[in-house]
Amino acid sequence: MEGHLQGRQVQAFFLCLCVLVTTCESFLYSVPEEKKSGSVVANVLRDLRLEGRELSARRARLASKSSKQYFRLDPLSGNILLQERIDREALCGEKDPCVLLSEVVLENPLQLHRIEVQIEDVNDHPPRFSKNEFIFEIPEQTQLNTRFPLESAQDADKGENAVQNYTLSPNEHFQLDVQSHADGDTYAGLVLKKQLDHEEEAQMSLILLAVDGGTPKRTGTAQIIIDILDNNDNAPQFSKSVYQVKLMENTPLGTLVTRVEASDRDSGSYAEITYSFSRVPEIVLRSFKLNKHTGEIATAGTIDYEENSKHELSLRATDGGGLSAYCKVLVEVEDENDNAPEVAVTSVTSPLPEDSPVQTVVALFSVMDRDSRDNARTTCTIDPSLPFVLRAAENSYYQLVTQRTLDRERVPEYNVTVTATDRGSPRLTSLTVISIPISDINDNPPVFERPLYEMQVRENNIPGLLIGSVHASDLDAEQNAKLTYAILPGKVRDGPVSSYVSINSETGNLYALRSLDYEDIRELRVTVRALDKGSPPLSSQATVRVHVVDENDHAPFILHPLQNSSSPSSDLVPRGAEVDPQKGRKSLRKIDEF
């Protein structure tokens, strides 16, 4: 059965929405109703002309506008699988063909392929009559070849699986006349072939059998009771054979739809007429009620244009003698704007890089309205202050595209409210929010708190002493905002600056690597760099000036008299004497007294 179904798959090509200027195709598949969950409906690999690995790589998935997902796509095999068993009659009712619409969404590049799955009917419903027993009251002098219409059996199945024929139990008075009308339905009637005689037989019973065309065939039966009456030679007559009425949907319960009228030229009980429905589907019985005495038809349930835009009511007028006449009431339901537009988001780029170029497609969505005409025509808008714009496409699709450059550091996320409004009266609106987080790029270098840091350290410090700390910040996020600190190469006297000062790469703390001597070095100048971890990385620099603070760590000492000298000393070096930068020792000054 599965191979037979796949052999019946038909491709239908037509113009559809395509993203990134690619050609899309529409594929038509079919699957019988009542197949178990997990059954394979079709394989899209050959139709899409893709390898199996490409489906996973391009994140293939099925998207549906309906609230319920009946199918799923296996991206490894390319099989479209049933999510659950489908009952065609519950899903589509009278609608034929029964088609479920989906789209295969492919990304990188973004593509849509329309998938139409026709749910084929199986013969899972037998024909049913509205009652098990039908009573006809027929006068004894009724003319031969008079035809008495019989109520049709209802079959929820369609096509060949619906009612195809009727048979009647053998009898000598009536034959079964079966006719097929232009609408494809089959109608049966009793034709009188032998004169009735009330005195000979007052009542007879027949069995009517309805047979469908399925495999195997299903049947439904009803008993026909015929009461043979005394002479009633005039049947009722309706004033019209067809009544046409227009009715607004959502009309309140009990609203008068129309009134049918029949008359009978007989008198007494033979002229008393009662009205009843004849050969009407269940939805008519739910939606309308008939006053059997007056012929007034009123609403009895909700009238919904989206469920049924037309109703055909068959009515029978029966006089007191059992003769009947028939007419039809055609009710055309007029649409009311009672359905707001519905937005179905097909694809969203999330997150969106902040360096995305203008005209980048951010999201794809469709809008549908279950109403008709102007009530179903919709427009979509967004806040014009946003850096996005809507671009209308075909088949009620819209693209959300960028119209300005983005800056994550200014706005890290956008919640775009799509307002869909129809053109009905009054207009109905729906709101749908599309969240678009903005992803960071490394477009901001680190920034130090100040370009020059002034620090102090006392001479004779302990090696490893904390001198101070520098700090920089980065407006970017995550790796782009993670910083490392380093000391750039430099010289102190004849040695590298890195032999005097070190920095913690994570905290920015500066440490003295050796004990410093004020009389030797009074100031260290260090260049510090902050580098982020973006790609490519960005950096900035700051200068750190470390002042060495003097301590009283040298006592005065006598330079004269010099060794082997006989003259008394008249010079000394005070504690506060400055160091001679050329000789590396403290300078001398004369004193008058020692």
Side-chain angles (χ1 to χ4, degrees), residues 91-143:
L91 179 64
C92 294
E94 295 294 319
K95 185 178 180 181
D96 190 33
C98 180
V99 177
L100 291 176
L101 302 178
S102 301
E103 289 99 12
V104 173
V105 182
L106 300 172
E107 297 185 4
N108 298 323
L110 183 61
Q111 289 182 314
L112 287 179
H113 294 272
R114 182 184 176 97
I115 301 295
E116 298 180 25
V117 180
Q118 180 171 328
I119 309 304
E120 295 184 340
D121 183 53
V122 299
N123 194 25
D124 57 343
H125 293 87
R128 294 183 184 276
F129 292 94
S130 63
K131 297 184 291 186
N132 294 328
E133 184 180 272
F134 297 92
I135 299 176
F136 287 80
E137 295 179 338
I138 302 177
E140 61 180 344
Q141 295 302 320
T142 300
Q143 290 184 348

Side-chain angles (χ1 to χ4, degrees), residues 222-269:
Q223 186 178 26
I224 300 175
I225 304 297
I226 299 176
D227 291 328
I228 302 172
L229 307 176
D230 282 341
N231 192 28
N232 177 27
D233 56 354
N234 287 289
Q237 289 185 344
F238 279 100
S239 59
K240 297 179 182 179
S241 60
V242 177
Y243 294 79
Q244 293 184 331
V245 181
K246 289 186 177 181
L247 182 65
M248 184 65 69
E249 72 168 323
N250 300 319
T251 298
L253 301 183
T255 299
L256 179 65
V257 178
T258 190
R259 180 178 182 270
V260 298
E261 186 176 5
S263 59
D264 195 308
R265 291 186 296 166
D266 293 321
S267 61
S269 64

Side-chain angles (χ1 to χ4, degrees), residues 543-556:
T543 301
V544 179
R545 197 158 59 193
V546 181
H547 300 278
V548 181
V549 179
D550 182 40
E551 286 189 341
N552 191 19
D553 57 346
H554 292 279

Side-chain angles (χ1 to χ4, degrees), residues 27-167:
F27 306 107
L28 176 64
Y29 305 107
S30 62
V31 63
E33 63 172 328
E34 304 297 340
K35 292 213 70 171
K36 65 181 181 179
S37 176
S39 297
V40 176
V41 177
N43 188 285
V44 299
L45 284 178
R46 184 179 63 184
D47 292 334
L48 295 177
R49 296 183 289 275
L50 297 175
E51 298 292 336
R53 289 173 295 179
E54 289 185 78
L55 286 178
S56 296
R58 295 181 65 180
R59 296 192 289 180
R61 64 186 184 279
L62 276 184
S64 173
K65 296 180 182 178
S66 64
S67 58
K68 193 170 186 179
Q69 301 290 331
Y70 290 95
F71 308 100
R72 63 183 176 87
L73 175 64
D74 184 351
L76 297 178
S77 66
N79 288 333
I80 298 178
L81 305 175
L82 275 174
Q83 289 274 56
E84 63 183 61
R85 192 184 301 269
I86 296 178
D87 184 347
R88 189 201 65 82
E89 289 75 25
L91 179 64
C92 294
E94 295 294 319
K95 185 178 180 181
D96 190 33
C98 180
V99 177
L100 291 176
L101 302 178
S102 301
E103 289 99 12
V104 173
V105 182
L106 300 172
E107 297 185 4
N108 298 323
L110 183 61
Q111 289 182 314
L112 287 179
H113 294 272
R114 182 184 176 97
I115 301 295
E116 298 180 25
V117 180
Q118 180 171 328
I119 309 304
E120 295 184 340
D121 183 53
V122 299
N123 194 25
D124 57 343
H125 293 87
R128 294 183 184 276
F129 292 94
S130 63
K131 297 184 291 186
N132 294 328
E133 184 180 272
F134 297 92
I135 299 176
F136 287 80
E137 295 179 338
I138 302 177
E140 61 180 344
Q141 295 302 320
T142 300
Q143 290 184 348
L144 296 180
N145 293 319
T146 299
R147 190 178 189 276
F148 302 93
L150 298 173
E151 178 175 314
S152 298
Q154 301 295 316
D155 195 327
D157 296 319
K158 291 294 181 182
E160 292 296 323
N161 295 329
V163 175
Q164 300 296 318
N165 199 9
Y166 295 88
T167 60

